[in-house]
Amino acid sequence: QPVLRRPPPPAPSSLQQVGNMVQFDVCGQLFRVPVRLIRSKPSTELAKLVEKHAGGAAPIFVDTAPERFGCILDWYRYGEIFVPKTVPLAAVLQDARRLGLPEEVVVNGAPRSTRPSAARKVGRELLAAVISGWRGFEVFFDALLRRIQAHFEVVGRKGKLPPKPPPPPPPQQSQQQQQHNGEKAAGLSDAAAEEEEEEAYDFPPFVLPLFGETGWIDPSHISSGPRARAVALWLEERGYLCEFTDTELLVSLPLRLKAEVLGGYAFDGEDEELFGEEEEETAGQEAEYAAE
């Protein structure tokens, strides 16, 4: 009598071989996620990619920023997205739209739309209109980028130099002169002293003069407020941080401490509601900024 044998089980797929986990290669950074978590949202792009590459051995490539991908995975885990202050909210919403998340998602406790922003579209069109009427803008902007780079190269070289020796003691002065100098020193404003103290441990920014006593410093290029703002927006697209004073544009590097980014506020899990309110206010300001 022939012996009946069970057929061998089918070979497990690569997803099963790694313990029901799937790996995403997000621009060089690997994320391992349970397969069931991604498949629980079958209409999303990540779920479709998982089904498409179910038998593959290589990680699934996803073309998005690694620092924002974790925010997208939070939506799969909790049905909500948590975005820290160090990550642009608008960029996360754009990723959510591209990866097939719903048009309405909850971000930091507040409902958000992943649909394209009308204000941002108007802002981009406004910026393009300002640049299109600016003769020689590309040459001017390239030269400005070189000036900014040269400025920070000088700052770097100064950081390698030994500290300057203390100045020599002042010559002997009469009692009347000493009293006059003391009164003059005491007349310094507290605001100026605080500003000097804050800047003591920072990299000095690049300063672009805009307006002087006789009007615009460079009227052939920056001759209006919209042009000055356009320059600042283009610099921020290159990664710089910009800030206006009454007469200048200050350009800094994105080398801030965590406490500076959070404005000195120590965030923890108990303050989630407040954090969400701050993000909502920031998003509103961004929309107004783009429409200006």
Side-chain angles (χ1 to χ4, degrees):
Q1 183 178 1
V3 179
L4 298 179
R5 295 183 180 181
R6 294 181 180 180
S13 67
S14 61
L15 298 180
Q16 297 170 328
Q17 289 174 357
V18 293
N20 290 325
M21 303 291 284
V22 59
Q23 288 194 92
F24 293 107
D25 177 2
V26 185
C27 293
Q29 185 171 338
L30 294 179
F31 291 79
R32 295 183 71 240
V33 189
V35 179
R36 58 176 178 76
L37 185 68
I38 303 301
R39 286 176 171 165
S40 66
K41 312 290 185 182
S43 62
T44 62
E45 291 300 318
L46 291 184
K48 295 176 183 178
L49 287 173
V50 167
E51 296 303 325
K52 181 180 178 180
H53 298 85
I60 302 173
F61 179 76
V62 180
D63 185 14
T64 191
E67 62 271 17
R68 301 196 299 265
F69 191 68
C71 301
I72 301 298
L73 293 179
D74 280 344
W75 178 80
Y76 284 87
R77 297 185 182 101
Y78 315 115
E80 184 174 351
I81 296 176
F82 302 96
V83 182
K85 276 184 171 287
T86 53
V87 175
L89 175 60
V92 174
L93 292 176
Q94 186 174 5
D95 291 340
R97 179 173 66 251
R98 191 166 56 85
L99 294 175
L101 272 63
E103 291 188 349
E104 296 291 337
V105 294
V106 177
V107 181
N108 294 337
R112 298 288 184 188
S113 174
T114 62
R115 293 186 293 270
S117 169
R120 293 187 180 278
K121 180 176 181 295
V122 173
R124 288 193 297 268
E125 292 175 352
L126 172 60
L127 183 60
V130 173
I131 300 301
S132 64
W134 188 333
R135 180 178 299 179
F137 170 77
E138 292 184 359
V139 175
F140 164 80
F141 190 74
D142 288 342
L144 178 60
L145 290 177
R146 290 193 295 270
R147 290 169 57 191
I148 295 172
Q149 181 178 355
H151 165 79
F152 287 110
E153 288 176 352
V154 171
V155 172
R157 288 196 294 271
K158 287 183 178 180
K160 298 179 181 179
L161 298 177
K164 294 182 179 180
Q172 293 292 332
Q173 298 178 343
S174 66
Q175 184 176 0
Q176 183 177 3
Q177 288 176 325
Q178 293 178 0
Q179 182 179 0
H180 172 74
N181 292 337
E183 293 175 353
K184 182 178 179 181
L188 293 175
S189 65
D190 294 338
E194 291 178 1
E195 182 178 357
E196 182 177 355
E197 182 179 355
E198 290 177 357
E199 294 178 351
Y201 297 101
D202 199 359
F203 300 113
F206 173 83
V207 179
L208 178 63
L210 299 175
F211 205 82
E213 295 181 357
T214 59
W216 295 100
I217 300 297
D218 187 4
S220 62
H221 288 292
I222 302 181
S223 57
S224 65
R227 285 195 173 189
R229 181 167 290 272
V231 170
L233 290 172
W234 270 60
L235 287 173
E236 291 200 339
E237 286 184 359
R238 301 306 191 276
Y240 291 105
L241 303 177
C242 297
E243 181 180 359
F244 285 106
T245 67
D246 291 339
T247 59
E248 300 167 330
L249 174 62
L250 307 181
V251 183
S252 305
L253 295 172
L255 300 177
R256 294 183 176 180
L257 304 176
K258 290 183 178 180
E260 294 171 342
V261 173
L262 296 175
Y265 178 73
F267 173 75
D268 56 29
E270 298 179 356
D271 301 317
E272 181 178 324
E273 182 176 354
L274 175 61
F275 188 79
E277 292 175 357
E278 292 177 351
E279 286 293 340
E280 185 173 0
E281 180 181 355
T282 302
Q285 292 175 352
E286 289 179 352
E288 293 174 2
Y289 184 83
E292 290 179 356

